[in-house]
Amino acid sequence: MVINQETVLVAKSSAKHLYEQVADRIRELILQGTLQPGDRLPSVRKLHQQLSVSISTVMEAYRLLEDRGLITVRPQSGYYVKASIKSQEPHSSDPPQQASSVDTSIVSRVYADLDIPDIVKLGAGVPSSQLLPLATLNRLMSKVIRTHPQISHTYHAFGGCESLRQEIAKKLIDAGCSISADRILVTNGAAEAVYLALQAVTQPGDIVAIESPCYYGLLQTLESLHLKALELPTSPREGLSLEHLETALDRSEIAACVIVSNFSNPLGSCMSDRRKQDLVELLNKYDIPLIEDDIYGDLSFLGNRPKAIKAFDTQGRVLYCSSVSKTLSPGLRVGWLVAERNLMEVKKLKIVTNVMTSIVPQLTVAAFFANGGYERHLRKLRRTYQAQMEKMRVTISNYFPPQIRMTQPQGGQFLWLELPKNFDVLELYQAALEYKISIAPGVIFSPSQSYGNCLRLNFGLLWSEESDRAERSSLSSNRDKVEIALNILGALAQQQLARVLLKYY
Ligand SMILES: Cc1ncc(COP(=O)(O)O)c(C=O)c1O
């Protein structure tokens, strides 16, 4: 029997619960193919004895695997492996080696389509509002207005409220950073933080090194600042290729580098600590500033939050950006920028751009961080996202063409899918719109409009009713919506691919 104490290796000190560790190991055995679809799992009682863990631990582990769509229970018979996912990872990217100016008109078109009423937003980057702690945030916001009736309506603390900056400084300790609150500038979301950071360290016409594919919002920022983008090869697992970055630094005048360090958008890649440190050393050598966007760092499925690149910065060259948009509320528009060398410059630019960030959202987020149960909320959100990611992968491998490659992120909010080379994702995009389904076509993630055979899907839409039993009854239609949308998308992709294959062979 493969599931025994040696194979499960339960580490009592791990940040994950015991049942999560048991579930993780069984999941690995399924994904490796050691356990095959149809295989019967040991009974709850047997596994409890084999692993010397409680019956309820085994039951919770099995329930988690059921939530993730990996196993199924047959009445009077037991638990069985439901799915195996055979798909491979997408290839590392191989973008053009020339820097180019950026045109994002196609991004605006995709944005406009997201406003179609009742569309299933698999292409958007927003979490379901049911997964956000809106009741607590609203309660805290009312309290802020009651207790600060005047300050909320004045010009106050241009760089950001002291209480919020203190809370952010405390949060940064988890990312391995020791930062004093006076180095933190509060911004209108991470988008503004990246915008101000880029403005502080570049001039129009400069070249900026970026991951490829990269978040389309960054491309819009580069375009509006008249900057050129140099796309660099990026792997779905390890992120940006440092070897290619070094070659590019030797070859071209690069003004800055922008990286989404943890669970990037769209690839979901996460750099190891070793590579984070190597990257900082490389940038020290060439004296280049780094803009780090760590907006997804808190959404790790691994138990512990990964370190930021900023944690390895000894020369104050990393401008660190993040926000609460992916964890608490995109609408509050609360983000932050940690700057050392460029602090005065970014503060000045913030005042010129929009003076300050509104006080009420700042104090609301500060109160949530201080005593709103942020860690508890994150634990639940991560668990839900991981379950939804697994379920989405299982569903895709059931409905999509077998040639599909897809990522297996360890955090964040997105899956990246790669179809065979001649597949036209814009055709799939249009066909899906007819069924009121939005996807994010690969071309919007690259200034050279590469990735015409790829797409990004959002697993942050509430799907699994099992993920929150308390809300079960109101969610079933939503769950069906995502499953049906994936089913339709898969059928459309199958039909389209069949036409492509007929044409080329
Ligand atoms: C990598 C990345 N950076 C920044 C943003 C924008 O964040 P915010 O809404 O906090 O401005 C997003 C939103 O999707 C993102 O994916």
Side-chain angles (χ1 to χ4, degrees), residues 125 188-192 215 260 265 293 295-296 323 325-326 333 414:
N188 291 326
E192 188 184 48
Y215 167 53
V260 181
N265 176 2
D293 181 344
I295 192 170
Y296 296 102
S323 80
S325 301
K326 305 298 167 185
R333 307 306 305 138
F414 303 110

Side-chain angles (χ1 to χ4, degrees), residues 209-215 218 230-234 239-240 258-261 264-265 269 445:
I210 59 169
E211 297 158 290
S212 183
C214 82
Y215 167 53
L218 171 62
L230 177 64
E231 298 179 79
L232 291 172
T234 305
L240 183 92
V258 184
I259 291 191
V260 181
S261 44
S264 68
N265 176 2
S269 57
F445 298 93

Side-chain angles (χ1 to χ4, degrees), residues 6-23:
E6 282 98 70
T7 57
V8 172
L9 275 182
V10 171
K12 299 239 169 11
S13 59
S14 162
K16 287 199 170 188
H17 292 295
L18 212 51
Y19 74 90
E20 290 175 309
Q21 296 175 50
V22 173

Side-chain angles (χ1 to χ4, degrees), residues 79-327:
Y79 289 90
Y80 289 82
V81 178
K82 189 168 151 192
S84 72
I85 304 170
K86 297 226 168 58
S87 115
Q88 291 179 297
E89 251 182 12
H91 298 97
S92 286
S93 65
D94 184 18
Q97 291 182 9
Q98 308 306 325
S100 61
S101 50
V102 182
D103 172 1
T104 59
S105 39
I106 190 166
V107 178
S108 315
R109 220 181 82 203
V110 172
Y111 261 125
D113 288 336
L114 285 175
D115 287 337
I116 297 173
D118 297 330
I119 193 156
V120 184
K121 293 182 182 167
L122 292 175
V126 285
S128 272
S129 54
Q130 293 103 314
L131 293 175
L132 301 176
L134 301 192
T136 310
L137 285 170
N138 288 339
R139 186 171 47 73
L140 293 171
M141 192 179 273
S142 307
K143 191 165 168 205
V144 165
I145 293 168
R146 271 199 320 277
T147 45
H148 302 279
Q150 272 144 23
I151 233 175
S152 302
H153 294 282
T154 57
Y155 290 125
H156 173 75
F158 293 125
C161 298
E162 172 76 17
S163 59
L164 176 60
R165 288 185 294 108
Q166 293 288 359
E167 288 300 327
I168 294 168
K170 276 191 228 156
K171 258 180 64 51
L172 280 165
I173 296 171
D174 290 343
C177 306
S178 165
I179 300 286
S180 104
D182 59 15
R183 306 269 135 182
I184 298 169
L185 172 69
V186 176
T187 58
N188 291 326
E192 188 184 48
V194 172
Y195 185 86
L196 296 176
L198 267 171
Q199 228 182 342
V201 300
T202 61
Q203 300 290 328
D206 279 352
I207 299 175
V208 177
I210 59 169
E211 297 158 290
S212 183
C214 82
Y215 167 53
Y216 48 77
L218 171 62
L219 298 178
Q220 290 176 307
T221 303
L222 296 177
E223 184 183 28
S224 83
L225 292 173
H226 305 287
L227 295 167
K228 289 190 188 134
L230 177 64
E231 298 179 79
L232 291 172
T234 305
S235 111
R237 218 165 260 251
E238 279 278 335
L240 183 92
S241 156
L242 299 188
E243 299 66 33
H244 284 86
L245 175 62
E246 181 152 24
T247 310
L249 289 167
D250 271 335
R251 219 187 269 159
S252 327
E253 239 350 71
I254 290 174
C257 183
V258 184
I259 291 191
V260 181
S261 44
N262 296 315
F263 318 119
S264 68
N265 176 2
L267 284 184
S269 57
C270 185
M271 294 177 95
S272 62
D273 284 354
R274 179 73 252 161
R275 289 173 70 82
K276 284 173 178 154
Q277 187 158 7
D278 289 349
L279 171 62
V280 171
E281 281 164 18
L282 187 59
L283 295 173
N284 285 345
K285 182 171 149 199
Y286 288 84
D287 194 19
I288 305 289
L290 171 71
I291 296 159
E292 176 181 21
D293 181 344
D294 191 20
I295 192 170
Y296 296 102
D298 279 355
L299 294 178
S300 166
F301 306 151
L302 300 170
N304 293 321
R305 185 203 197 289
K307 282 189 182 161
I309 300 174
K310 181 77 188 156
F312 302 95
D313 179 21
T314 50
Q315 301 186 356
R317 71 175 58 255
V318 178
L319 294 108
Y320 175 92
C321 310
S322 192
S323 80
V324 296
S325 301
K326 305 298 167 185
T327 49

